[in-house]
């Protein structure tokens, strides 16, 4: 293609991307409460299913997923302090 055609293609693609960006920003800012509710659910459960998404989209606090088991984090057994307890690989080598 010629330089002029390539330039026109670039302009059209840029216009499409700018419109899509503007619309996306508008949707996200107008639904900020929903966005935060979904982020909180994902941080808590790591994954959510259609039931949780439906609740979130209605502005409701989602219930845990059907198979959710609230397990303590791996580092919570020592009060959340890193370095406490045995190392998974046996710790540092002995100094000689």
């Amino acid at each position: 293609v010629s330089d002029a055609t390539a330039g026109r293609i670039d302009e059209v693609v840029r216009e499409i991307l700018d419109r899509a960006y503007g619309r996306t920003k508008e949707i996200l800012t107008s639904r900020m409460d929903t966005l935060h509710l979904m982020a909180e659910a994902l941080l808590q459960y790591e994954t959510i299913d259609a039931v949780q998404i439906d609740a979130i989209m209605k502005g409701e606090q989602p219930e845990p997923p059907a198979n959710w088991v609230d397990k303590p984090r791996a580092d919570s057994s020592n009060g959340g302090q890193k370095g406490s307890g045995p190392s998974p690989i046996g710790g540092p080598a002995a100094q000689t």
Side-chain angles (χ1 to χ4, degrees):
V1 294
S2 71
D3 287 342
T5 301
R8 181 65 186 134
I9 291 169
D10 289 345
E11 289 174 21
V12 171
V13 168
R14 170 55 64 189
E15 290 170 10
I16 292 168
L17 292 174
D18 287 344
R19 278 194 312 270
Y21 174 82
R23 179 71 179 128
T24 301
K25 187 174 179 181
E26 177 185 319
I27 290 168
L28 291 175
T29 54
S30 69
R31 302 289 308 263
M32 191 64 67
D33 54 339
T34 304
L35 181 64
H36 285 280
L37 197 55
M38 184 155 316
E40 290 169 13
L42 286 167
L43 286 170
Q44 182 174 2
Y45 303 122
E46 295 181 4
T47 59
I48 54 177
D49 57 26
V51 174
Q52 284 78 37
I53 292 171
D54 289 343
I56 291 167
M57 297 308 288
K58 292 177 189 173
E60 301 169 357
Q61 186 69 34
E63 294 293 324
N67 60 351
W68 175 252
V69 177
D70 194 11
K71 297 181 273 187
R73 292 180 163 248
D75 64 351
S76 66
S77 63
N78 59 22
Q81 297 177 357
K82 292 182 179 180
S84 298
S87 172
I89 57 171
Q95 297 292 316
T96 58

